[in-house]
Amino acid sequence: MDDLTSRLHVLRGREVPLGGPRGMTVMRTLPHRDCSLVGPWCFVDQFGPDDVSATGGMQVARHPHTGLATVSWLFEGAITHRDSIGSHVLVTPGAVDVMTAGRGITHSEFTTNDTTTLHGVQLWFAQPDAQRFGDPAFALASTERIEADAFALRAGFGEHSVTGPGDQVVTARGDLQMGVPLDFLEITLDPDIEVTAHLDAGHEYAVVVDRGPVTVGAGERPVVEADGYDLVLVPERSESVRLTAGEAGARVLLIGGEPLGEDIVMWWNFVGRSHEEIAEFRARYQQEMGFEGADGEALDPDSDAARPATEGDLLFGTFPPNTPRPLPAPRLPGGRLRLRGRRPQERREGRGT
């Protein structure tokens, strides 16, 4: 990929089974081999519309996170969220669900029994080094759908201004403050409608396409065509982005934020700053969940020791009894985990073209 200031780039989603090889399939656009960060956003999964009767929907048992925040945004269906700090809530369309992992948290996510179709997006943003060992937290907030002439807005984070047909200017603002400058705006367009979203030139942005096709433009650069499950990287230092829906209309998410300014190591559900740190997070989780002993050897699943810990200095907290068994962490790869940044490492080190 050439320099991220020169043109728009379309990243195609790749299929990933959620929660294991028999899980619901999601389409993942971040991280990508060509770009790992958009502002602090480091992970984007799109799912659905998913027929829950055929796939079972989202069935993700207890699992860990460190150094990041998860964001759930639904278009259809509902999810039950439970975590190790005592949260147990219903997530529905029109709400933004944010779980901040800090030094460590575990949670589970299950489609509700009355959900027939599940459709939405889940994202992560990396916490800055100064915040990533803070206390875990959870927040759930309602958002307002703002109707305009031929388009609608719904803001999760940040303040936004969009110019539509007839030069009408519509603003939307997300109420949650996360300690880092974030942008998150849902834009729904009627057929053949063009709008211009105004940007902070100091932030990095991407357009996540839920429903298209949509034509995306920025300044005088050539436009690109994108469709569902695509992510379009907006050139850095752009002051606006144009979105033009096709004859079927479109729905996109505009995500962005202030550049993180740090490289991260991201593996499985952990974000850290080194291979050794990730290895320690994994070992601690495996021990607290009763999968491995302090020596790293697997425990007999029928032994008393092979149960999640319920007392002591627990990094990943506790869960109520009679909930599904936690997910075990996969084995670390044979080589060292590498740092990720906005651009591929070889290009930042001058080895690419």
Side-chain angles (χ1 to χ4, degrees), residues 1 16 28 35 38-39 50 64-65 104 143 154 166 169-170 175 192-193 197 223 225 266 268 286 309:
M1 177 182 289
V16 178
R28 184 166 299 164
C35 181
V38 176
D50 186 67
H65 290 290
T143 63
R154 190 187 294 274
V169 178
V170 181
D175 291 331
D192 303 314
I193 291 299
V223 300
E225 300 290 334
M266 185 165 65
W268 195 43
Q286 290 291 91

Side-chain angles (χ1 to χ4, degrees), residues 133-173:
F133 289 110
D135 293 339
F138 179 82
L140 181 69
S142 298
T143 63
E144 179 186 3
R145 179 179 169 91
I146 300 174
E147 299 280 356
D149 182 14
F151 70 99
L153 307 178
R154 190 187 294 274
F157 308 105
E159 297 186 7
H160 304 272
S161 174
V162 176
T163 300
D167 292 330
Q168 60 177 325
V169 178
V170 181
T171 60
R173 181 180 184 275

Side-chain angles (χ1 to χ4, degrees), residues 2-346:
D2 61 351
D3 188 84
L4 294 175
T5 63
S6 63
R7 64 181 180 89
L8 295 136
H9 297 274
V10 181
L11 307 184
R12 309 294 183 187
R14 63 190 187 280
E15 291 189 359
V16 178
L18 185 67
R22 292 181 298 277
M24 179 183 75
T25 298
V26 301
M27 300 297 288
R28 184 166 299 164
T29 46
L30 278 184
H32 190 277
R33 66 178 180 274
D34 290 331
C35 181
S36 292
L37 292 168
V38 176
W41 298 101
C42 59
F43 181 95
V44 177
D45 271 359
Q46 296 175 258
F47 50 89
D50 186 67
D51 181 355
V52 173
S53 66
T55 67
M58 187 175 293
Q59 305 286 331
V60 185
R62 184 184 183 187
H63 60 282
H65 290 290
T66 61
L68 60 89
T70 68
V71 176
S72 296
W73 186 269
L74 296 180
F75 304 122
E76 189 173 2
I79 296 169
T80 299
H81 166 100
R82 186 192 298 271
D83 62 42
S84 55
I85 58 173
S87 312
H88 187 203
V89 301
L90 182 67
V91 183
T92 57
V96 56
D97 151 8
V98 187
M99 185 188 73
T100 304
R103 61 179 176 270
I105 197 170
T106 51
H107 75 136
S108 65
E109 296 162 300
F110 288 89
T111 306
T112 59
N113 292 334
D114 59 351
T115 291
T116 58
T117 302
L118 188 64
H119 185 191
V121 185
Q122 288 197 326
L123 313 92
W124 301 350
F125 63 86
Q127 294 183 264
D129 190 58
Q131 299 177 15
R132 67 190 183 97
F133 289 110
D135 293 339
F138 179 82
L140 181 69
S142 298
T143 63
E144 179 186 3
R145 179 179 169 91
I146 300 174
E147 299 280 356
D149 182 14
F151 70 99
L153 307 178
R154 190 187 294 274
F157 308 105
E159 297 186 7
H160 304 272
S161 174
V162 176
T163 300
D167 292 330
Q168 60 177 325
V169 178
V170 181
T171 60
R173 181 180 184 275
D175 291 331
L176 287 178
Q177 303 296 317
M178 301 309 303
V180 292
L182 289 173
D183 302 294
F184 188 104
L185 178 69
E186 176 186 310
I187 306 173
T188 304
L189 302 175
D190 285 356
D192 303 314
I193 291 299
E194 179 175 291
V195 300
T196 298
H198 305 283
L199 310 179
D200 182 329
H203 286 197
E204 297 164 353
Y205 291 92
V207 176
V208 180
V209 183
D210 170 62
R211 175 168 50 83
V214 62
T215 302
V216 184
E220 299 302 316
R221 303 169 182 88
V223 300
V224 297
E225 300 290 334
D227 213 332
Y229 309 127
D230 288 342
L231 181 147
V232 181
L233 294 174
V234 177
E236 293 170 3
R237 297 190 289 277
S238 293
E239 296 183 350
S240 65
V241 62
R242 297 186 309 280
L243 305 167
T244 308
E247 61 182 14
R251 179 166 59 198
V252 306
L253 299 177
L254 177 67
I255 65 170
E258 190 174 277
L260 183 63
E262 304 171 25
D263 287 347
I264 63 173
V265 177
M266 185 165 65
W267 176 82
W268 195 43
N269 296 309
F270 304 122
V271 168
R273 295 300 185 274
S274 69
H275 175 97
E276 290 76 16
E277 199 173 68
I278 298 294
E280 175 58 29
F281 291 149
R282 180 196 180 278
R284 186 78 176 267
Y285 173 74
Q286 290 291 91
Q287 291 171 38
E288 291 187 13
M289 297 303 110
F291 293 120
E292 296 177 1
D295 58 1
E297 293 296 318
L299 297 175
D300 180 350
D302 295 325
S303 69
D304 290 340
R307 299 175 183 172
T310 58
E311 57 185 25
D313 181 20
L314 301 178
L315 184 63
F316 295 105
T318 62
F319 244 53
N322 303 317
T323 54
R325 184 166 173 77
L327 297 176
R331 292 189 177 278
L332 285 164
R336 288 183 61 80
L337 299 169
R338 297 179 62 182
L339 289 165
R340 301 171 181 262
R342 167 72 167 168
R343 293 165 171 79
Q345 187 176 39
E346 61 271 17

